[in-house]
Amino acid sequence: MLLFASMKKEQLFLFFTAGLIFPATFSFAQKSVALMWNTVQFPVHISEKWQLHNDFSYRFITASGAAYQFTVRSGVRKIINEKWNVASGAALFFTRTSFEKANHEFGTEFRVWQEVINEKKLNGKLSLLNRLRFDERFFASTSARDAYAALRIRYRVALIQTIAEKWKLQLTDEYMEQLSRGTLSFQQNRLGITGIYVFSNSAQFNAGYIWSKLSVSDQHFITCTFIKSFSLQ
């Protein structure tokens, strides 16, 4: 108790975030469905109401260190007001067809996405964010499957708490249903916790953990995201 009392808010944040992330890393390291998810995002503000969305990610299997997925996503965002914004764009995914390191085959997915976001301030330090996203997914054929298309519907709710001048904590839950081959069914549900360090108004770093329950298995993600925004105004 004396240790906690002597720690600053930032130190407490790092202590508890590390307590969540690092045990998860070690406990899931022996499972092929444990992934490290690294992302960089570069939003570009072209006017007060319009923004270009750009992000790139690289995911690898923690047990073997083998690359699992590469992604590129871009789009255009319309900022309606301080509470609402909408966006649409396209993405390209290259995903290993199994978790086996000896397998070097990657499947291609082209994706068209649309989303609407609402953010509500619950008080001076706590915000509630709701996001509804649609993914039109087009999978190329691989040695394990034929080409097919699917529509995924995603709803995510997030609570974002400011805990210090530069520190925030985010809790998320995202539920997904997918329409494929004429059948609408549960696709996955993701629960996550993320620590956010704000460098400035234009840059921040996020680190967290996501547990994803799929229809046939679980996945575990350790996430690292760097966000740097630019302005052309």
Side-chain angles (χ1 to χ4, degrees):
M1 294 298 294
L2 290 175
L3 172 63
F4 291 150
S6 65
M7 296 174 75
K8 296 180 180 179
K9 288 182 178 179
E10 294 90 341
Q11 293 171 321
L12 281 169
F13 170 79
L14 288 172
F15 180 84
F16 286 112
T17 302
L20 287 166
I21 294 176
F22 290 114
T25 303
F26 291 117
S27 64
F28 297 127
Q30 301 305 313
K31 297 182 180 181
S32 62
V33 290
L35 305 173
M36 186 74 185
W37 185 347
N38 303 286
T39 305
V40 291
Q41 297 181 2
F42 299 113
V44 179
H45 299 272
I46 57 178
S47 72
E48 184 178 344
K49 295 292 185 180
W50 292 94
Q51 180 190 98
L52 300 178
H53 176 91
N54 307 282
D55 74 55
F56 311 88
S57 72
Y58 164 64
R59 305 174 193 181
F60 66 87
I61 305 166
T62 58
S64 65
Y68 176 69
Q69 188 177 68
F70 303 89
T71 77
V72 179
R73 187 192 304 269
S74 63
V76 178
R77 187 174 306 279
K78 168 68 172 179
I79 301 169
I80 300 171
N81 53 43
E82 62 179 8
K83 294 183 179 180
W84 292 92
N85 69 81
V86 294
S88 181
L92 194 59
F93 288 65
F94 301 95
T95 307
R96 189 184 292 268
T97 55
S98 78
F99 291 103
E100 298 297 327
K101 187 175 183 179
N103 170 37
H104 298 293
E105 182 185 28
F106 282 74
T108 302
E109 174 194 351
F110 175 72
R111 187 179 299 182
V112 179
W113 59 275
Q114 308 86 36
E115 69 180 24
V116 56
I117 294 177
N118 171 255
E119 183 173 1
K120 181 180 181 181
K121 301 288 186 182
L122 301 180
N123 57 44
K125 293 187 175 182
L126 181 64
S127 297
L128 175 67
L129 188 147
N130 290 277
R131 185 184 76 182
L132 178 63
R133 176 182 284 179
F134 297 91
D135 293 326
E136 290 88 45
R137 313 176 72 186
F138 303 92
F139 296 88
S141 62
T142 69
S143 62
R145 64 161 192 257
D146 295 330
Y148 73 100
L151 170 65
R152 186 164 66 179
I153 305 167
R154 309 167 56 168
Y155 171 66
R156 189 183 75 169
V157 60
L159 282 172
I160 306 170
Q161 173 72 50
T162 299
I163 59 176
E165 181 181 358
K166 291 184 175 293
W167 297 92
K168 297 180 182 181
L169 187 66
Q170 178 177 264
L171 301 176
T172 59
D173 183 14
E174 185 171 22
Y175 179 82
M176 307 182 200
E177 292 263 348
Q178 184 159 282
L179 177 63
S180 178
R181 300 181 174 93
T183 301
L184 180 65
S185 59
F186 169 79
Q187 199 264 332
Q188 66 177 291
N189 192 84
R190 292 176 178 174
L191 294 172
I193 180 169
T194 303
I196 303 170
Y197 179 76
V198 181
F199 294 100
S200 65
N201 290 334
S202 62
Q204 69 180 51
F205 178 77
N206 305 346
Y209 165 72
I210 294 174
W211 171 67
S212 179
K213 174 63 178 177
L214 288 85
S215 58
V216 295
S217 64
D218 294 354
Q219 287 186 347
H220 307 275
F221 299 93
I222 304 301
T223 64
C224 293
T225 304
F226 176 71
I227 304 172
K228 172 62 178 176
S229 63
F230 299 90
S231 178
L232 301 180
Q233 300 178 60

